[in-house]
Amino acid sequence: MPCTISTARAFVAQHHRHSRPPTSGLFAVGAAAGEHLIGVAIAGRPQARALQDGTTIEITRVCNIPGHPNATSTLYGAILRAAKHLGYRRAFTYTLQAESGASLRAAGWTPDATVPARNWHTPTRPRYHADLFGDPITPPQPKTRWTRTLQ
């Protein structure tokens, strides 16, 4: 189903188990059961400068309500189809190493790299242990980067 970035961000804020909503995004898709939104996926510009080639998209969040089998794989498939129709050639996303990635494998993704835990704080770009609202920032954890060719 169609979904705005603001609706998707609000859904992630309410339902995601470990991440806050992304600051922004390029487009989003939703999954519904009847009239009720049960999941969202948000795509955005790649965070890593080396991956910003104009034809690569990063899937920044996928979130769904538990109890809906295959919703995560469905969301990945829908957002990839939308990205392909918009002319993107490659997509990537990250999972925590503690996550299995079963939904990604089911949607045709392959593990691309292991990314070590990294603190975003540097002397030239200070990051703090709490956001502007005083909420604690999740400590860095190692991740797996997954990739999928679209065309």
Side-chain angles (χ1 to χ4, degrees):
M1 72 181 286
C3 185
T4 64
I5 296 292
S6 58
T7 299
R9 290 183 73 242
F11 189 90
V12 170
Q14 185 176 3
H15 297 288
H16 202 284
R17 66 180 182 262
H18 62 76
S19 293
R20 294 186 310 229
T23 304
S24 64
L26 295 174
F27 59 94
V29 297
E35 297 290 319
H36 301 287
L37 185 66
I38 61 161
V40 298
I42 303 172
R45 192 185 88 194
Q47 297 277 329
R49 290 180 190 165
L51 298 173
Q52 294 176 9
D53 61 7
T55 61
T56 300
I57 193 89
E58 180 176 349
I59 310 307
T60 56
R61 293 290 184 283
V62 173
C63 175
N64 63 284
I65 297 171
H68 297 278
N70 305 318
T72 304
S73 299
T74 300
L75 286 163
Y76 275 117
I79 203 148
L80 290 179
R81 285 189 301 278
K84 182 177 180 178
H85 287 295
L86 289 169
Y88 291 99
R89 294 186 187 142
R90 186 172 82 135
F92 71 94
T93 192
Y94 296 90
T95 60
L96 298 176
Q97 284 194 339
E99 298 173 315
S100 72
S103 295
L104 289 162
R105 280 190 189 87
W109 295 72
T110 55
D112 179 51
T114 299
V115 181
R118 176 180 163 196
N119 189 335
W120 287 90
H121 177 79
T122 65
T124 57
R125 274 190 332 238
R127 302 294 194 264
Y128 304 99
H129 296 290
D131 65 13
L132 295 174
F133 304 103
D135 295 326
I137 295 173
T138 305
Q141 299 178 36
K143 297 179 176 133
T144 302
R145 184 174 67 205
W146 298 78
T147 189
R148 171 91 189 262
T149 302
L150 303 178
Q151 299 188 9

